[in-house]
Amino acid sequence: MRFKGLRLAPVIAVAAAFAVAPEAAAVGAPRLLINQDFPDPDVVKTSSGYVAFSTGTKTTRIPMASAAVAEGPWRVAGDALGAVPAWAKPDGGFWAPDVTQLTDGTFVLYFAAAQTAGGEMCLGAATAKKVDGPYTPAGDRPLVCEPGDHGDIDPQTFVDADGSRYLLYKSDGAATGPPSAIWAQKLQADGRTLAGPRTELLRADLTAEKSIVEAPSVVKTASRYLLFYSADTFQSTGYHTSYASAPTLGGAFVKADAPFLSTDLLGGKVDAPGGADVVDGHIFFHGWLAGGRTARGLYELPITFPGDVPQLG
């Protein structure tokens, strides 16, 4: 089950042996759903199937794809973002979209883009009446743009059991300063207004993370909250997906003692699996396609949560 929201409370990211990594031998071959560039996927289940969104290309701001069933076939067509926001550079890129539906039926698209002034990445929002848009940018200023973060990217929403909606995202950190971190920020009912202070959920504090944590996605199991995230640099074969767990939304979130998805754990079938999104019994993620590191395709594996621990296959 996928939720889009999170109750804010202080949480601490620490390395601990809470869960075990999946056995590589027990994992089947990941299914390649989209054999072209479709990185940082966000997948939404609808009454008629699935719609996916990805980081933009040179010709498309926010590419879309659709399928009747999760296993495909998938068809890539269209641009979800109908116009460039007033605050964003037209050629600065539009990264890691997330789409959620409000209680009034409105769909909100969150994305990262380079602001015209200064060029740092900030988070914006756009709205539409249909899941496939086109989405109209909301407001003439970014939704999140913290000067001390050195860039904010990878938005992902999460709705708590009480209906409270929260926005998770990554602060880039600085080469000579603090490493990157993942934050949660409460949203008002309109999905486009921040409410209260933000809270740090976890920080890149493990050697294997190379000072980078990003691409948050939260799943609620029977009795735990799991925060999936990517770590290391996305260009590296060491780029991987891990998760942290907490018994309540108040934390403390504890990192699993090993990666959940990695090039080695998948037997080399996917290079640098990351940007994971868990939806309806499937984990969707990107990985470098064969022929060089020029495009990241969309992959899928089934996922279950026996004993509140994620398991592939």
Side-chain angles (χ1 to χ4, degrees):
M1 178 178 290
R2 184 187 185 194
F3 295 78
K4 291 194 170 185
L6 184 61
R7 176 172 58 84
L8 289 177
V11 280
I12 303 172
V14 295
F18 166 71
V20 297
E23 294 294 334
V27 179
R31 188 189 305 268
L32 177 58
L33 303 178
I34 298 178
N35 191 18
Q36 66 184 70
D37 202 27
F38 203 86
D40 306 315
D42 177 70
V43 179
V44 178
K45 185 180 181 183
T46 72
S47 59
S48 59
Y50 296 81
V51 180
F53 305 83
S54 84
T55 284
T57 66
K58 292 181 179 179
T59 58
T60 308
R61 288 181 287 265
I62 305 266
M64 292 186 299
S66 59
V69 296
E71 295 81 5
W74 284 78
R75 177 176 176 266
V76 180
D79 190 335
L81 189 57
V84 175
W87 54 268
K89 291 183 175 181
D91 57 353
F94 297 89
W95 298 358
D98 173 79
V99 169
T100 189
Q101 187 174 24
L102 305 180
T103 55
D104 66 1
T106 301
F107 289 91
V108 183
L109 165 69
Y110 302 91
F111 56 89
Q115 64 172 339
T116 303
E120 287 189 336
M121 300 300 290
C122 303
L123 304 183
T127 61
K129 295 181 179 180
K130 301 186 301 179
V131 67
D132 55 354
Y135 288 81
T136 301
D140 57 2
R141 302 176 64 182
L143 179 61
V144 175
C145 200
E146 292 286 341
D149 285 353
H150 303 278
D152 295 299
I153 63 172
D154 293 357
Q156 182 77 201
T157 45
F158 182 97
V159 177
D160 200 356
D162 64 359
S164 297
R165 190 176 302 272
Y166 290 82
L167 180 68
L168 282 71
Y169 61 91
K170 168 200 176 179
S171 61
D172 269 342
T176 58
S180 63
I182 292 173
W183 304 81
Q185 171 74 64
K186 188 175 183 180
L187 294 167
Q188 294 186 14
D190 66 0
R192 304 180 299 280
T193 306
L194 303 178
R198 67 178 184 172
T199 293
E200 182 179 320
L201 301 185
L202 57 81
R203 185 170 288 271
D205 55 8
L206 301 179
T207 301
E209 293 169 346
K210 305 292 178 63
S211 297
I212 297 173
V213 291
E214 58 190 18
S217 181
V218 174
V219 173
K220 183 184 181 302
T221 62
S223 62
R224 302 194 71 84
Y225 293 81
L226 306 180
L227 171 58
F228 289 86
Y229 64 96
S230 299
D232 201 341
T233 58
F234 75 92
Q235 302 98 331
S236 168
T237 295
Y239 192 64
H240 61 276
T241 296
S242 291
Y243 73 94
S245 173
T248 70
L249 292 177
F253 278 94
V254 176
K255 293 179 180 179
D257 61 349
F260 184 67
L261 294 174
S262 71
T263 304
D264 289 341
L265 287 171
L266 294 179
K269 298 180 180 71
V270 179
D271 183 12
D277 194 15
V278 179
V279 182
D280 194 35
H282 306 270
I283 184 166
F284 300 91
F285 54 96
H286 67 230
W288 291 108
L289 296 171
R293 297 197 170 180
T294 58
R296 287 169 287 172
L298 176 65
Y299 292 85
E300 176 271 343
L301 277 167
I303 187 171
T304 57
F305 299 91
D308 297 317
V309 176
Q311 178 176 306
L312 298 174

